[in-house]
Amino acid sequence: MLHLPSLPKAFSFLFLAGTLLSWNGKSPARPTPVQARTFAFEYTATVKDLPAQAKEADLWIPVPHSDKSQDIKDLSISSPYPYELLDAAHGNKVLHLRVLNPKPAPFSVTMKFNATRREHKNPVLMPEAGAKKEKEATDPDMQRWLQADQLVPLDDKIRLWAQEVVAKANAKTDLEKAQAIYNHVVSTVKYDKTGQGWGRGDIYYACDARRGNCTDFHAVFIGYCRAVGIPARFSIGFPLPTERGEGEVKGYHCWAEFYTKATGWVPVDASEAAKDPSRRNYFFGAHDENRVEFTRGRDLTLAPRQQGQTLNYFIYPYAEVDGKPFASVDKQFRYHDLTQAKK
């Protein structure tokens, strides 16, 4: 089995040096204002092909939450059946409905909301004019973000590979170690959704194939950070095109954060950085405004608890019929911007 080679030491040093110059305030670059985007979002799930003899059907849909990077307002639900909004693990929110003796005919549930998403910039790595580092509330799940996921084990091999990466970069502090891991991932994994195996966030697949989508990139980043004792957490939502307007969103996007005492939580988007090398510095310390977050964490238990296995991640609708996973659920996601730049 192959593992990902690290960047040349000289390049890693120069990359880290540039970041640290900005961090200690010596960079001559002028700070830029935080960008924001306000848009309406529509999420529709359609359950179809229900068995004629079904006794019970359950449907769960992730519900976005407000936090320091996004405001969620005007949430509305259209459903032919009663539903409930519940809190789940890691601060996630869930829409759940249960239908007894469901009719075979399809039914749809539509969730609409307005969102304002702001750039998420770490105030230490990317200080803004007049901005001060805010004291962050302690994450109650901090110990969880040091533990393994089902597809991101922290075995001896993963620990060895992670230690090799930070050792070759001569990284000493947690920030330097995270920077070395980030450099390593964005430089050696290709964004490529061909073949089979990608998209599950399987760290061994990513280390063998050296390609995949955002889940695969961040499986390596998060796994290596945790393997050297740095808390790292996974978030998933939807991307929006940079161009303002309206349209359909075809699929999810995910990203990561890591924590050090010196910086607090630092946003990272390794897959976007790999797709656009000109923004590699930016995506170590920032998430842009062209996204909306729905859930955090992996190996998730819903509310009420599903009878099937924990979910690898939760962004698409999940259904069970008579206690067994049910895959015949269509989904559609649409957005339109509510504020347009003046022409």
Side-chain angles (χ1 to χ4, degrees), residues 6-20:
S6 63
L7 277 175
K9 183 176 180 180
F11 185 86
S12 298
F13 177 79
L14 289 174
F15 192 104
L16 179 58
T19 298
L20 293 179

Side-chain angles (χ1 to χ4, degrees), residues 233-304:
R233 61 193 186 190
F234 170 95
S235 293
I236 194 166
F238 291 100
L240 275 65
T242 56
E243 301 80 11
R244 280 18 179 193
E246 61 181 84
E248 184 175 356
V249 179
K250 295 297 185 180
Y252 68 80
H253 181 49
C254 64
W255 46 91
E257 295 173 274
F258 70 90
Y259 180 87
T260 78
K261 291 182 178 179
T263 60
W265 285 102
V266 177
V268 163
D269 196 328
S271 58
E272 286 300 293
K275 289 193 289 184
D276 184 357
S278 71
R279 305 194 78 193
R280 286 186 179 181
N281 283 353
Y282 175 83
F283 282 118
F284 186 83
H287 292 147
D288 62 29
E289 75 279 15
N290 302 312
R291 62 188 70 205
V292 58
E293 181 174 314
F294 274 65
T295 60
R296 178 172 291 163
R298 300 182 61 179
D299 301 338
L300 295 175
T301 297
L302 305 179

Side-chain angles (χ1 to χ4, degrees), residues 159-213:
R159 293 184 191 279
L160 175 63
W161 292 351
Q163 290 165 0
E164 288 178 347
V165 168
V166 300
K168 289 180 180 178
N170 196 30
K172 303 301 183 183
T173 68
D174 283 350
L175 178 60
E176 290 171 345
K177 292 175 182 178
Q179 177 80 75
I181 292 168
Y182 175 83
N183 292 350
H184 169 75
V185 174
V186 301
S187 300
T188 60
V189 182
K190 181 181 179 182
Y191 192 90
D192 181 354
K193 300 192 294 185
T194 60
Q196 297 181 342
W198 62 270
R200 299 177 65 235
D202 183 332
I203 192 171
Y204 273 111
Y205 166 83
C207 288
D208 284 346
R210 289 187 283 184
R211 61 184 175 84
N213 77 342

Side-chain angles (χ1 to χ4, degrees), residues 24-84:
N24 64 22
K26 295 181 180 180
S27 172
R30 293 182 178 179
T32 56
V34 172
Q35 300 297 312
R37 183 172 187 173
T38 300
F39 53 92
F41 199 91
E42 182 176 306
Y43 182 125
T44 300
T46 301
V47 180
K48 61 181 186 179
D49 302 326
L50 284 164
Q53 303 304 317
K55 301 299 182 183
E56 184 177 274
D58 287 88
L59 176 68
W60 290 264
I61 292 174
V63 178
H65 54 271
S66 294
D67 60 22
K68 65 180 181 180
S69 297
Q70 64 184 30
D71 299 324
I72 304 298
K73 298 180 179 179
D74 304 322
L75 179 73
S76 65
I77 311 293
S78 175
S79 170
Y81 300 106
Y83 62 87
E84 52 187 346

